[in-house]
Amino acid sequence: MEKTSFKDWKRYTIKSLAFWVVVGIVAGITLGMLNPSLAVQAKPGIDWFIQALKWLVGPIIFLTIISGIVGLESLKEVGSIGLKAFIYFEVVSTFALAIGILFGNLLKPGHGMHLDVESLDVSAVSSFTANASSQTGSVWGILKSAIPTDPITPFLHGNTLQVLVMALVIAIGIAAFGEKYKEAILAPLEKVQNVFFKILTILMWLSPVASFSAMAFLIGKFGIASLIGMASLLGVMLISVLAFLFGVLGIILWFYKINVFKFMRFIAKEVLIVFATSSSESALAPLMKRLEAAGVSRGTTGLVIPTGYSFNLDCTNIYLSLSIIFLAQAFGIPLTLSHELSIIFILMVASKGAVGVTGSGFIVLAGTLSAMGDVIPVATVAVLLGVDKFMSEMRAVGNLCGNAVAAVVVGAWDKQIDMEKFRYALDHPESVEDAIPG
């Protein structure tokens, strides 16, 4: 009994990636508090890790979508999954936008701040606002930006949307050739995909170092004390995200007889890694592998998860709508019901228009404020710079959870999931660990 207990202890501590990620987080926070100047110099650790991930995530998404679609029985299944995913994305992401506005109005995080636009340092956000009109605001602009100028740049720059479009076109072309060609192409594709997953497994063991660098820089640069002035916004953001995850997503999962708390425990390892690195990309491939091992079809995970990272960023939507309400309150600008409805309609398009763009949160915010006319000055987004890094953890974690739920729901809706196997995996998460990178 003692020997078994010791093995379990080693499995969940010394041999567990999640354990070392926690160690990295604690060490980074400690350094940030004790020696801020040294902690700020740790930033390259997280920058290099995210850059390496971007190089890997592009090929993994590309290969996963192609093998997933080619592996489906017919193009009819591709259209069925895609249509249901699109409907789900639009409905749920709209709920997310509404939740941001609802909690912003109920809890009033910016009320009583009495900020003045004239006192802002607009130079801090000039690079974001300058790109706003070109990156957001029209369906045509989004479609145009989804078409790559060449087949290499999207992989080098980590442009998920362009990689997604290329993979879909190639996969549908291969699937149209017929069973003979599909089988000949699928086997080598899967071998190459496995090579990238093995490389990812090695890279993921560097995530504790990235976690340390990210937390050290965060605390060293902004300091815990810098949160006090914006604590209300961070608090309302946290409440909104939790309400969405355990309220909206919880109800959706309940319809499929899935316990939301068991589900969140099931993906806890990926959630922890995303929280530590502030990047949803860090757990994209492991999440797909985990869901596939639990009974969701490869075609569903391969199509829904990568597409969701472009079109189903639920908690980014909460951040965007809540931030606009916060800015209006902080600067004493009254918003009518008409204004709030226009925020939802504009963000339904604009929130999908800056995928893969650095500083996309500010670009989308600036674009939305510009589209609203002179109701809220675009320069007001400068107020959010100090806490955006802290809010990015909540956005990244929430987006991960939202896309995981989307894959399960679309899979169940399209009968592309073994529900008996999936429920067993929720009760016994350790049963799928061997199939997951890292």
Side-chain angles (χ1 to χ4, degrees), residues 208-268:
V209 178
S211 303
F212 166 79
S213 300
M215 288 299 170
F217 173 77
L218 200 62
I219 303 301
K221 177 73 173 178
F222 300 104
I224 293 180
S226 67
L227 291 177
I228 296 175
M230 302 289 281
S232 59
L233 175 59
L234 292 172
V236 175
M237 175 71 180
L238 178 60
I239 292 170
S240 302
V241 169
L242 291 176
F244 176 79
L245 296 182
F246 295 99
V248 176
L249 297 187
I251 292 171
I252 292 172
L253 289 173
W254 177 79
F255 277 107
Y256 293 92
K257 298 179 181 178
I258 297 172
N259 185 298
V260 66
F261 297 100
K262 287 183 179 180
F263 185 83
M264 294 304 172
R265 183 189 67 171
F266 178 68
I267 61 172

Side-chain angles (χ1 to χ4, degrees), residues 140-157:
W140 173 247
I142 295 169
L143 293 175
K144 187 178 178 181
S145 68
I147 302 173
T149 55
D150 63 79
I152 305 299
T153 303
F155 293 99
L156 295 178
H157 292 173

Side-chain angles (χ1 to χ4, degrees), residues 63-383:
L63 293 167
T64 301
I65 289 177
I66 292 178
S67 62
I69 291 177
V70 172
L72 292 172
E73 292 184 4
S74 66
L75 285 176
K76 185 178 179 181
E77 285 188 5
V78 178
S80 178
I81 294 172
L83 176 62
K84 287 166 183 171
F86 176 78
I87 294 171
Y88 176 89
F89 292 163
E90 286 304 310
V91 171
V92 177
S93 60
T94 302
F95 268 107
L97 290 170
I99 280 180
I101 291 176
L102 175 65
F103 279 91
N105 283 324
L106 285 177
L107 302 179
K108 303 184 185 300
H111 184 71
M113 294 184 70
H114 305 299
L115 299 181
D116 183 8
V117 179
E118 300 298 325
S119 64
L120 295 175
D121 178 12
V122 295
S123 63
V125 294
S126 58
S127 61
F128 301 113
T129 56
N131 294 321
S133 60
S134 62
Q135 295 290 348
T136 61
S138 70
V139 175
W140 173 247
I142 295 169
L143 293 175
K144 187 178 178 181
S145 68
I147 302 173
T149 55
D150 63 79
I152 305 299
T153 303
F155 293 99
L156 295 178
H157 292 173
N159 192 313
T160 307
L161 186 58
Q162 292 183 356
V163 171
L164 177 68
V165 169
M166 285 196 299
L168 285 172
V169 171
I170 293 172
I172 292 172
I174 294 173
F177 285 141
E179 292 298 323
K180 180 181 177 181
Y181 294 99
K182 283 168 62 175
E183 291 177 6
I185 293 170
L186 194 58
L189 267 179
E190 290 180 342
K191 288 182 180 179
V192 175
Q193 186 183 25
N194 287 335
V195 170
F196 276 99
F197 273 122
K198 286 178 181 178
I199 297 172
L200 178 67
T201 299
I202 297 170
L203 179 63
M204 289 310 295
W205 277 102
L206 295 176
S207 59
V209 178
S211 303
F212 166 79
S213 300
M215 288 299 170
F217 173 77
L218 200 62
I219 303 301
K221 177 73 173 178
F222 300 104
I224 293 180
S226 67
L227 291 177
I228 296 175
M230 302 289 281
S232 59
L233 175 59
L234 292 172
V236 175
M237 175 71 180
L238 178 60
I239 292 170
S240 302
V241 169
L242 291 176
F244 176 79
L245 296 182
F246 295 99
V248 176
L249 297 187
I251 292 171
I252 292 172
L253 289 173
W254 177 79
F255 277 107
Y256 293 92
K257 298 179 181 178
I258 297 172
N259 185 298
V260 66
F261 297 100
K262 287 183 179 180
F263 185 83
M264 294 304 172
R265 183 189 67 171
F266 178 68
I267 61 172
K269 183 178 176 181
E270 286 73 26
V271 167
L272 179 61
I273 292 172
V274 167
F275 173 79
T277 60
S278 299
S279 170
S280 301
E281 292 173 335
S282 61
L284 187 149
L287 177 64
M288 288 193 290
K289 277 292 184 182
R290 182 177 293 277
L291 293 174
E292 186 182 333
V296 184
S297 74
R298 177 178 297 183
T300 301
T301 58
L303 190 58
V304 175
I305 297 291
T307 308
Y309 272 80
S310 295
F311 297 102
N312 188 46
L313 302 177
D314 297 320
C315 289
T316 296
N317 282 359
I318 292 175
Y319 158 79
L320 291 169
S321 57
L322 174 61
S323 294
I324 293 174
I325 299 299
F326 167 79
L327 291 174
Q329 294 169 353
F331 288 90
I333 301 169
L335 293 180
T336 64
L337 178 61
S338 175
H339 288 142
E340 293 180 355
L341 290 175
S342 70
I343 291 170
I344 292 177
F345 287 124
I346 293 168
L347 285 176
M348 283 175 68
V349 175
S351 61
K352 299 172 179 63
V355 179
V357 180
T358 302
S360 60
F362 286 103
I363 292 174
V364 173
L365 270 178
T368 304
L369 296 181
S370 296
M372 290 176 65
D374 297 325
V375 178
I376 303 175
V378 177
T380 57
V381 297
V383 173

Side-chain angles (χ1 to χ4, degrees), residues 7-23:
K7 284 183 177 180
D8 288 341
W9 179 83
K10 285 203 302 182
R11 178 179 181 180
Y12 291 107
T13 55
I14 298 173
K15 292 186 177 181
S16 169
L17 177 62
F19 170 78
W20 290 110
V21 168
V22 172
V23 170

